[in-house]
Amino acid sequence: MGHSLRFEVNCSILFTDLPLLERPRAAKDAGFDAVEFWWPFTEAIPADRAVDAFVSALAEADVRLVGLNFFAGDMPGGDRGLVSWVGREQEFRDNAALVAEIGVRTGCRAFNALYGNRIDGVDPAAQDDLGAENLAYAAETVGRVGGAVLIEAVSGPQPYPLRTAADAFAVIDRVGAPNVRFLADLFHLTVNGDDLDKVIDEYADRTAHVQIADAPGRHEPGSGDVAIDAALGRLEQAGYRGWVGLEYVPSTTTVESFAWLPRERRSSK
């Protein structure tokens, strides 16, 4: 490998053959000591016992939570975030408080806020106004615990307006909070037509988290055409020292899909 960046596992897209609370242990058994999750509950404010069980599963597996999404709505149904969803402002803000609480309990400091789809019949400008307000609120909320809000470009057919790094930075710059940072998902950026080298050269110093999957297919590195190792090396050379999240759909089993990554590179220690 042409870099020394640390890897971690997104347990919302990997180990999906297991119940969610068993996935941190599975990641540990596979050699990883850090994980991330999309929002691991079906509602913005789950019961206290559900939150306690999630936090306990991480602690019992002895893995570090390094990334967590804000509640994004019904993801399987096509929702992609509440940030700009007019009419669900309070739900998002209530969730932001819980996200910060989980950050305190787990040590997580990176929180991904999916911007939200365009809504039929709602002025996009009104959505963007709300998006800026909600992100400023979220940044202040998680900032109290030393956290950062992450913004990413997303691919796919849904009417999600942030498609490129430039789109993401238009939002980041509008909010203007120092702890609203870029999440560089190399798969989404590639699929949407961004030049990874140019994105890295321009934005590496403002990137707080990285996720990878190969393209086409969104499978493990080596299954497609993306020069992932070269991109990660370029990021490191540009000064990036953060985590690299494995956020791909395994083409075989999850454990078999790690064959490209030597076991000694899976632990951050």
Side-chain angles (χ1 to χ4, degrees):
M1 283 187 183
H3 64 89
S4 58
L5 297 177
R6 302 166 297 172
F7 294 97
E8 48 88 3
V9 177
N10 187 314
C11 288
S12 292
I13 195 170
L14 290 159
F15 296 112
T16 56
D17 57 317
L18 297 173
L20 185 137
L21 296 183
E22 294 180 16
R23 298 176 196 173
R25 171 58 63 184
K28 184 72 171 184
D29 291 344
F32 297 92
D33 54 26
V35 299
E36 64 178 85
F37 278 84
W38 299 336
W39 186 244
F41 313 104
T42 57
E43 57 280 310
I45 306 297
D48 290 346
R49 63 182 180 276
V51 177
D52 292 344
F54 175 66
V55 173
S56 294
L58 295 165
E60 291 168 5
D62 189 27
V63 294
R64 178 180 174 187
L65 183 68
V66 299
L68 179 69
N69 282 24
F70 290 82
F71 177 62
D74 179 11
M75 290 274 284
D79 294 346
R80 290 297 181 271
L82 303 189
V83 169
S84 63
W85 194 326
V86 176
R88 299 184 74 171
E89 298 90 338
Q90 193 59 51
E91 188 178 5
F92 176 79
R93 295 185 177 206
D94 290 345
N95 177 247
L98 180 55
V99 164
E101 177 188 327
I102 294 173
V104 170
R105 295 179 64 180
T106 63
C108 184
R109 296 294 182 264
F111 308 106
N112 185 18
L114 290 178
Y115 192 71
N117 295 330
R118 290 305 192 200
I119 302 171
D120 290 342
V122 178
D123 183 356
Q127 286 197 253
D128 291 336
D129 289 344
L130 177 62
E133 293 171 10
N134 275 341
L135 288 172
Y137 181 90
E140 180 180 358
T141 300
V142 303
R144 297 189 195 112
V145 302
V149 177
L150 307 179
I151 303 296
E152 68 172 320
V154 173
S155 61
Q158 70 276 358
Y160 190 90
L162 309 187
R163 314 296 290 184
T164 66
D167 293 336
F169 275 98
V171 171
I172 292 168
D173 290 340
R174 177 174 179 176
V175 178
N179 65 328
V180 178
R181 307 287 301 283
F182 183 49
L183 190 166
D185 185 305
L186 304 189
F187 169 78
H188 290 310
L189 293 169
T190 297
V191 169
N192 285 346
D194 260 338
D195 182 303
L196 293 185
D197 288 347
K198 290 181 179 179
V199 169
I200 292 166
D201 291 347
E202 186 167 359
Y203 300 120
D205 62 333
R206 301 177 68 187
T207 298
H209 193 64
V210 171
Q211 294 171 336
I212 61 171
D214 216 329
R218 200 179 185 180
H219 300 308
E220 60 271 15
S223 62
D225 302 324
V226 183
I228 293 174
D229 189 65
L232 295 178
R234 195 180 190 98
L235 274 161
E236 186 176 52
Q237 290 172 7
Y240 181 73
R241 297 295 183 269
W243 292 94
V244 177
L246 309 185
E247 194 185 63
Y248 58 75
V249 178
S251 59
T252 54
T253 68
T254 294
V255 172
E256 290 172 344
S257 79
F258 297 143
W260 64 277
L261 184 61
R263 195 173 181 91
E264 61 270 18
R265 289 301 309 274
R266 300 177 193 180
S267 172
S268 65
K269 298 176 182 177

